[in-house]
Amino acid sequence: MSAGPMVPRPVRLAALGVLAEGVVGVVVVVVMVVAGLTFSVWGFVALLAVAVVVAGVALLLGRRGARGPSVVAQLLAIGCAFYAAVPSGRPDWGVPVLVFAAAVLAGLVSRPAREWAGQ
């Protein structure tokens, strides 16, 4: 009941974006570990990264339930990107992340995605 045979193209593209975000998160965790940060820091980031990877894979497999967590991840990414771009004065980091997360979010809330999720 939670998986559909045909995942719309916007959802597939968004799923690839979510998966890419999760993989970047895993890479960040590796960098944190190598840098010697404590488990309490990198462990939290690892938990989030793995959850995003799982959501991306689930979307690719057509699991409608992964759409909600993926939307939440995009909203959080947009908030973090805005903070990086404006108050932190790092638009070189924030703007690309903001654009990417907004594009993924657009795919997740598009009409085909909504119709697919409502089936």
Side-chain angles (χ1 to χ4, degrees):
M1 184 169 181
S2 64
M6 215 161 178
V7 179
R9 186 167 193 257
V11 176
R12 286 194 316 265
L13 292 173
L16 291 173
V18 172
L19 187 57
E21 291 168 343
V23 169
V24 168
V26 170
V27 170
V28 168
V29 169
V30 171
V31 170
M32 291 174 136
V33 170
V34 170
L37 294 174
T38 62
F39 171 76
S40 61
V41 174
W42 63 259
F44 178 72
V45 176
L47 183 64
L48 291 175
V50 168
V52 172
V53 166
V54 168
V57 169
L59 273 176
L60 280 174
L61 295 175
R63 303 288 180 190
R64 292 181 183 93
R67 184 173 166 258
S70 297
V71 167
V72 171
Q74 299 323 297
L75 294 173
L76 291 172
I78 288 169
C80 291
F82 176 81
Y83 186 82
V86 180
S88 295
R90 292 300 307 259
D92 53 328
W93 285 85
V95 171
V97 173
L98 183 86
V99 169
F100 187 81
V104 172
L105 182 62
L108 292 169
V109 299
S110 66
R111 176 177 284 185
R114 291 190 321 268
E115 290 171 354
W116 170 75
Q119 292 177 354

